[in-house]
Amino acid sequence: MASNAVTPRLASDRSGQAARHVAIIMDGNGRWAKKRMLPRVAGHKAGVDAVRRTARAAWDMGIECLTLYAFSSENWKRPEQEIIDLTGLLKHFIRSDLDEFHANGVRLRIIGDYHAFEPGAVRMIDEALARTSANRKSTLVIALNYGAQDELARAARILAQQAVRGEIDPATIAPGHISALLDTTGLPPLDLLIRTSGEQRLSNFLLWQAAYAELYFTDTLWPDFDERSLAEALDDFRARERRFGGL
Ligand code: FPP
């Protein structure tokens, strides 16, 4: 066995504090490629390998829900070729990995408006969502064309429309009304939010859902992230004292 192999450990062992929902801002693909004098797309390809490794590790560790920030609503500002490359990698990932995920009881969910992608990608995503929708063991959430401010604005718009129609009294609007209208509705509360590559910001990711999440920043570039990195993040999480505003 390789010396760096890790023994799978459940997300809930030791103190009993279980991380049901882990989200990751996968950052550093470009820098990983640059360090090797490779084109950026090589970093994204290695990033897909890290997605596969991390998703497998997450379900081995009993994590119910893994949410990955694959494409933000701001990423459209990137060069057209990079957007084409990322879309191609996503399609390839669905083609090559969906069977395994499905066999392991993994349900796929998307947050963000993926209909902005090219029709071939939208069709593949729709098929993957339909095929895995009844799976209950764990959920892999991919954020595509996702931005938290846009998600919150959409929820506010719906509530305002309901108020105008007299269906809801604005004075009764509570956090639960907003949560129910977010793309993440029905998912477990977010426990742990990881960002790789040394940057320490949320970049418009899960701003509402992160209200009581533990934040974990690592210098590891996303393509180097593996089961050991995830285990370290979960060890750190278990050592945190979560008070949710109480004492
Ligand atoms: C950030 O690195 C990474 C992205 C914007 C894309 C993440 C996408 C993948 C890992 C591959 C596709 C995903 C799936 C689910 C198949 P960066 O390019 O901003 O890196 P840099 O900051 O070092 O330039």
Side-chain angles (χ1 to χ4, degrees):
M1 191 179 267
S3 60
N4 65 348
V6 282
T7 314
R9 227 174 310 155
L10 290 178
S12 58
D13 67 4
R14 266 208 338 232
S15 73
Q17 176 165 258
R20 296 177 65 201
H21 185 171
V22 176
I24 309 181
I25 301 175
M26 310 181 287
D27 199 6
N29 295 351
R31 277 161 284 168
W32 184 94
K34 196 171 177 196
K35 266 171 56 180
R36 289 162 178 76
M37 307 224 280
L38 293 169
R40 289 180 60 82
V41 64
H44 293 316
K45 273 188 192 150
V48 176
D49 294 337
V51 166
R52 187 175 295 117
R53 274 196 306 270
T54 306
R56 286 176 181 160
W59 80 56
D60 280 350
M61 293 176 190
I63 291 169
E64 279 174 53
C65 182
L66 176 69
T67 298
L68 301 175
Y69 204 5
F71 196 94
S72 77
S73 46
E74 287 74 39
N75 284 153
W76 297 108
K77 294 181 203 148
R78 294 196 176 202
E80 194 184 353
Q81 188 54 51
E82 185 160 340
I83 294 169
I84 293 169
D85 289 340
L86 283 167
T87 311
L89 285 171
L90 175 70
K91 286 164 72 177
H92 183 262
F93 175 73
I94 293 176
R95 221 176 281 124
S96 61
D97 287 59
L98 194 73
D99 282 350
E100 180 189 338
F101 284 20
H102 186 45
N104 281 283
V106 179
R107 171 176 62 141
L108 179 70
R109 244 181 83 178
I110 304 292
I111 56 172
D113 184 10
Y114 64 92
H115 295 96
F117 286 87
E118 48 102 347
V122 173
R123 207 166 33 247
M124 282 186 78
I125 293 167
D126 281 336
E127 283 168 14
L129 291 172
R131 187 165 166 222
T132 62
S133 64
N135 292 343
R136 285 292 170 269
K137 211 166 156 215
S138 51
T139 304
L140 174 64
V141 184
I142 302 183
L144 290 173
N145 187 27
Y146 173 87
Q149 291 180 342
D150 171 67
E151 181 190 35
L152 284 161
R154 277 188 277 126
R157 216 175 294 135
I158 292 170
L159 287 171
Q161 285 159 350
Q162 289 175 352
V164 167
R165 289 196 298 263
E167 292 163 9
I168 190 168
D169 174 359
T172 66
I173 293 176
H177 290 96
I178 296 172
S179 297
L181 290 169
L182 300 181
D183 296 351
T184 48
T185 184
L187 297 175
L190 182 62
D191 293 307
L192 174 63
L193 175 54
I194 299 171
R195 182 170 189 148
T196 61
S197 89
E199 309 291 347
Q200 301 197 0
R201 56 179 172 268
L202 296 184
S203 298
N204 204 14
F205 189 47
L206 301 179
L207 298 182
W208 175 277
Q209 297 84 344
Y212 286 102
E214 296 296 322
L215 307 181
Y216 178 86
F217 300 104
T218 171
D219 288 339
T220 303
L221 301 176
W222 175 248
D224 293 325
F225 199 88
D226 60 12
E227 35 287 271
R228 182 179 290 275
S229 322
L230 184 63
E232 280 170 10
L234 288 167
D235 278 346
D236 193 90
F237 170 80
R238 277 187 292 267
R240 307 266 181 107
E241 194 188 338
R242 301 184 82 196
R243 292 199 297 269
F244 300 96
L247 293 177

